[in-house]
Amino acid sequence: MNLTRVSGIILRHLAVYRSNLARLNEILLWPIFELLLWGFFGTYIGRLSALGNVVLVILGSLLLWTVFARVQQSISISFLMELWSRNIMNMFIAPISITEYLTALMVVGLLKVAFVSGLMILLAWLFYHINLFVAGFALVPLAVALILFAWAVGTFITGIVLRFGQGAESIAWMFAFFLQPFGAVFFPLSVYPWWLQRVLWWIPLPHIFESLRSVFAGEGIALNHVLWAFGLNAVYLTAAFIFFGYMFEKAREKGFLLKLQE
């Protein structure tokens, strides 16, 4: 792997934000609006409920959900940016391997989510006097598990776009929100019907957010859920890389890369 080529792709995607302020919406406006909406909603519920600090649980869940959504969308949308700018052929004519390209997109996603997370933690403290660091280092493995799953989903969606072109770009925007109702993000897994719980057991998201609620309840991190999440991530991430590699080879053999820019 050539780090110079990887850093070149990273700088290419970061430079977009300097010349196009509209693209800052994904790392500024959406996270802020979500934080304000759920924060004020949680404050209101907290005044009516005897369930403890509802605001802390909601904002903690929102923070981790933002980590997943932004990392997943960063990979998918960064690839779509290459299509929109008709740069996809230039990118793959250059001596850049698929591994280097995906690595660069993953790093771009990490940089974005680091900025967004810091901003949300600061605003949560300023507006609601909530310290999201109260969970301590327990948030680290949960955030890592979310990032791994986001990489898997983002890579899978990018493979779909390679095959079907810009007609599939809506998937890049909506897929994370499609998973949200089934990720037990803001409510426990026990809310779902028993048959659906068995299906959702095979998705990393419910395990991660169940463990988060366990931490905020003072019960410590749920190790069984964390292990399940990392095990599933290993399977999904491997499958996503294989799928993307297969789709890329098919797109190159059948000339889909040229058609993507038409």
Side-chain angles (χ1 to χ4, degrees):
M1 181 181 295
N2 189 304
L3 295 181
T4 301
R5 294 196 288 260
V6 171
S7 62
I9 299 174
I10 294 172
L11 291 175
R12 177 257 187 278
H13 283 283
L14 294 181
V16 174
Y17 294 97
R18 183 178 60 184
S19 58
N20 190 341
L21 295 180
R23 295 194 184 276
L24 289 175
N25 288 341
E26 64 171 295
I27 61 174
L28 281 177
L29 295 184
W30 283 8
I32 291 175
F33 287 152
E34 287 176 342
L35 177 73
L36 295 178
L37 172 65
W38 288 99
F40 286 120
F41 171 78
T43 301
Y44 173 71
I45 295 298
R47 293 172 182 173
L48 303 178
S49 175
L51 297 178
N53 200 337
V54 178
V55 182
L56 177 62
V57 177
I58 290 178
L59 293 187
S61 299
L62 177 61
L63 175 63
L64 285 186
W65 172 255
T66 301
V67 168
F68 169 73
R70 293 294 165 262
V71 173
Q72 177 263 301
Q73 290 181 346
S74 176
I75 294 178
S76 307
I77 295 172
S78 293
F79 182 77
L80 286 171
M81 286 170 55
E82 305 291 0
L83 296 184
W84 296 332
S85 61
R86 300 184 181 276
N87 190 52
I88 191 69
M89 284 303 300
N90 297 331
M91 183 64 63
F92 290 114
I93 288 175
I96 297 174
S97 68
I98 295 297
T99 302
E100 291 168 346
Y101 182 71
L102 288 178
T103 300
L105 295 188
M106 291 175 181
V107 173
V108 171
L110 290 179
L111 293 176
K112 289 181 181 180
V113 81
F115 174 79
V116 171
S117 298
L119 179 63
M120 294 181 70
I121 290 172
L122 175 62
L123 291 178
W125 181 78
L126 290 176
F127 279 97
Y128 314 114
H129 304 291
I130 294 294
N131 180 14
L132 293 175
F133 287 116
V134 69
F137 289 104
L139 284 179
V140 175
L142 301 182
V144 171
L146 278 174
I147 290 171
L148 292 175
F149 186 53
W151 282 347
V153 173
T155 303
F156 175 76
I157 292 174
T158 304
I160 293 178
V161 175
L162 265 176
R163 175 59 182 85
F164 298 101
Q166 296 186 45
E169 69 179 65
S170 61
I171 299 176
W173 295 99
M174 64 181 288
F175 197 83
F177 297 98
F178 171 77
L179 287 177
Q180 190 179 50
F182 308 103
V185 180
F186 300 110
F187 40 81
L189 195 60
S190 59
V191 171
Y192 297 100
W194 66 269
W195 58 268
L196 186 55
Q197 292 182 35
R198 295 192 175 186
V199 176
L200 299 183
W201 188 262
W202 300 97
I203 302 176
L205 292 178
H207 296 285
I208 295 168
F209 288 101
E210 284 288 300
S211 187
L212 176 68
R213 281 184 284 272
S214 176
V215 171
F216 284 140
E219 300 172 358
I221 191 168
L223 188 59
N224 61 323
H225 282 298
V226 174
L227 292 177
W228 261 96
F230 276 99
L232 291 172
N233 280 332
V235 174
Y236 290 137
L237 201 56
T238 301
F241 286 154
I242 294 174
F243 177 78
F244 180 85
Y246 175 78
M247 285 298 185
F248 180 80
E249 289 302 322
K250 285 294 182 181
R252 187 167 60 177
E253 290 175 6
K254 297 187 177 182
F256 290 152
L257 292 178
L258 287 173
K259 295 179 182 179
L260 287 175
Q261 294 191 164
E262 294 179 353

